[in-house]
Amino acid sequence: AVVSTQSTGGESEILQCSRSPVKFTAACWSPTRPGVFFIGREDGNIDVWDLMDRSHEPSMSQNISSSAITSLVPYRVSTKQVLLGVGDDFGTLHILEVPWSLRQPSANEVANMSAYFDRECSRIDYYKEREANRPSAGAGPSEPAIPLPLETDEEEEERLKKSFNSYLNMEKDFLVKLGLKRDDEPVALVH
């Protein structure tokens, strides 16, 4: 799970990524863009997620070190400059400047991201409720399954005859209404 939230049913993941062969070791949100966060990985790379761009995979990945990323700290220098402090397992501090596209929010980004997270929380709550109301696949001993009685061949034949005769009577009534058949003509019922 990349992002988790407290919903009505407890803590749930609202954003997941596919299984990575490399462990995630650090993460932080952008201080200026609500849809951007950074994830440090064990292989020394940083994944940049821009949810306004895509939510199923990182928007970009950048190699920073040959050792694991141990910390990520964003720092807003001014409205025109944001830095990202990156610590690695060797104890080296790397200072990166965040590019304009990852620090400058779009006009409706706050509202769009708020709506996105609300929608995802509602979706999770819906699926949790649906799962809770779904009958369990394996009925336990407290809920024995009641087998339905099987029809004998004669009972099945009788039921099918009644059904077919009902169809023939409806067909006759329909043809009479269309004027294609007289009401006094007999129907050849199956006995």
Side-chain angles (χ1 to χ4, degrees):
V2 175
V3 178
S4 65
T5 183
Q6 193 72 22
S7 65
T8 57
E11 193 171 279
S12 298
E13 294 81 18
I14 58 174
L15 178 62
Q16 293 182 342
C17 62
S18 60
R19 174 95 67 207
S20 172
V22 181
K23 287 183 183 179
F24 297 148
T25 55
C28 70
W29 284 98
S30 165
T32 57
R33 292 217 26 220
V36 172
F37 57 96
F38 307 93
I39 295 181
R41 300 181 349 182
E42 186 178 49
D43 62 358
N45 289 339
I46 293 179
D47 289 339
V48 180
W49 288 73
D50 183 352
L51 299 177
M52 294 293 288
D53 179 32
R54 56 183 85 149
S55 63
H56 63 284
E57 65 183 0
S59 296
M60 65 182 291
S61 219
Q62 178 67 48
N63 181 266
I64 304 300
S65 174
S66 60
S67 67
I69 302 299
T70 57
S71 62
L72 295 170
V73 179
Y75 179 71
R76 186 177 187 168
V77 177
S78 68
T79 56
K80 295 183 181 209
Q81 188 177 32
V82 174
L83 301 176
L84 182 64
V86 180
D88 68 20
D89 206 24
F90 289 149
T92 306
L93 173 63
H94 306 268
I95 305 292
L96 308 174
E97 184 171 4
V98 177
W100 182 87
S101 62
L102 295 174
R103 72 173 183 260
Q104 187 62 38
S106 63
N108 297 325
E109 186 167 349
V110 173
N112 289 342
M113 290 312 304
S114 179
Y116 171 80
F117 287 121
D118 289 344
R119 209 171 36 250
E120 289 300 304
C121 288
S122 296
R123 181 184 61 81
I124 288 168
D125 291 341
Y126 167 78
Y127 280 108
K128 280 185 177 182
E129 184 178 326
R130 189 174 127 187
E131 189 65 31
N133 293 334
R134 180 178 287 173
S136 62
S142 61
E143 299 178 28
I146 302 171
L148 297 173
L150 297 175
E151 289 181 319
T152 63
D153 289 342
E154 294 82 21
E155 290 172 333
E156 182 181 19
E157 187 176 340
E158 189 62 32
R159 181 178 54 80
L160 292 173
K161 281 182 187 177
K162 284 181 183 179
S163 177
F164 186 67
N165 287 339
S166 173
Y167 166 77
L168 291 174
N169 284 324
M170 286 190 314
E171 181 184 44
K172 177 191 170 198
D173 292 342
F174 181 70
L175 293 173
V176 167
K177 286 180 183 176
L178 289 175
L180 299 173
K181 197 168 194 173
R182 292 191 325 250
D183 194 26
D184 59 351
E185 288 182 46
V187 177
L189 300 176
V190 178
H191 298 284

